[in-house]
Amino acid sequence: MAKEITGYVKLQIKGGQANPAPPVGPALGQRGINIMEFCKAFNEKTKAFMGKPVPVIITVYKDKKFDFIIKSPPASHFIKEAVKLKSGSSEPGRNIVASITMKQIEEIAKKKMNDLNANDISEASK
């Protein structure tokens, strides 16, 4: 028999840097999850993404146990990394701060392919 799910929690946490402070603590505390147990498990699984924002979907069960799915960092993070930007334009649509090549876009699409519902790299690149 499957466990009864009481809810889902979606968070974006820097890889390897989860701690009980907000936003993690309050989001999990209100669901009754052991926060330190989650932080240790999350930090262990996301060592490869150290310092990068990592979306995570936490499934909370009725018995206060949990599972979580780690997604790849957002495409915007990969784009800023590829063109070596600190932040985006202060006036979007007016000031162009960088340009990106098709080869860089294809590299980003390869990294994001697991989280996309595209059939091939050219569709993912769009």
Side-chain angles (χ1 to χ4, degrees):
M1 190 166 117
K3 293 182 181 180
E4 188 177 336
I5 297 172
T6 59
Y8 297 95
V9 180
K10 293 181 181 181
L11 296 171
Q12 188 166 321
I13 310 166
K14 290 199 180 231
Q17 298 177 0
N19 58 20
V24 178
L28 300 182
Q30 69 186 9
R31 300 280 187 172
I33 295 176
N34 183 337
I35 299 166
M36 285 309 298
E37 185 181 332
F38 168 77
C39 289
K40 287 178 184 173
F42 179 83
N43 290 340
E44 187 64 35
K45 281 191 171 182
T46 59
K47 284 182 180 176
F49 297 118
M50 186 60 80
K52 297 178 181 179
V54 179
V56 60
I57 301 173
I58 306 161
T59 306
V60 183
Y61 299 104
K62 191 172 187 176
D63 62 353
K64 307 296 183 203
K65 300 287 183 200
F66 63 90
D67 288 332
F68 59 94
I69 300 169
I70 296 170
K71 304 282 188 173
S72 61
S76 60
H77 174 77
F78 286 128
I79 291 169
K80 286 188 341 186
E81 202 174 66
V83 296
K84 297 172 179 56
L85 277 179
K86 296 266 187 221
S87 66
S89 174
S90 60
E91 295 180 39
R94 294 181 185 207
N95 292 343
I96 297 173
V97 292
S99 60
I100 188 167
T101 65
M102 198 61 193
K103 185 176 180 182
Q104 290 171 317
I105 291 172
E106 288 174 359
E107 290 298 317
I108 293 168
K110 286 177 186 173
K111 292 177 187 176
K112 294 287 295 175
M113 198 63 178
N114 293 339
D115 295 338
L116 300 174
N117 60 356
N119 292 327
D120 58 9
I121 295 296
S122 65
E123 290 297 316
S125 298
K126 289 181 183 177

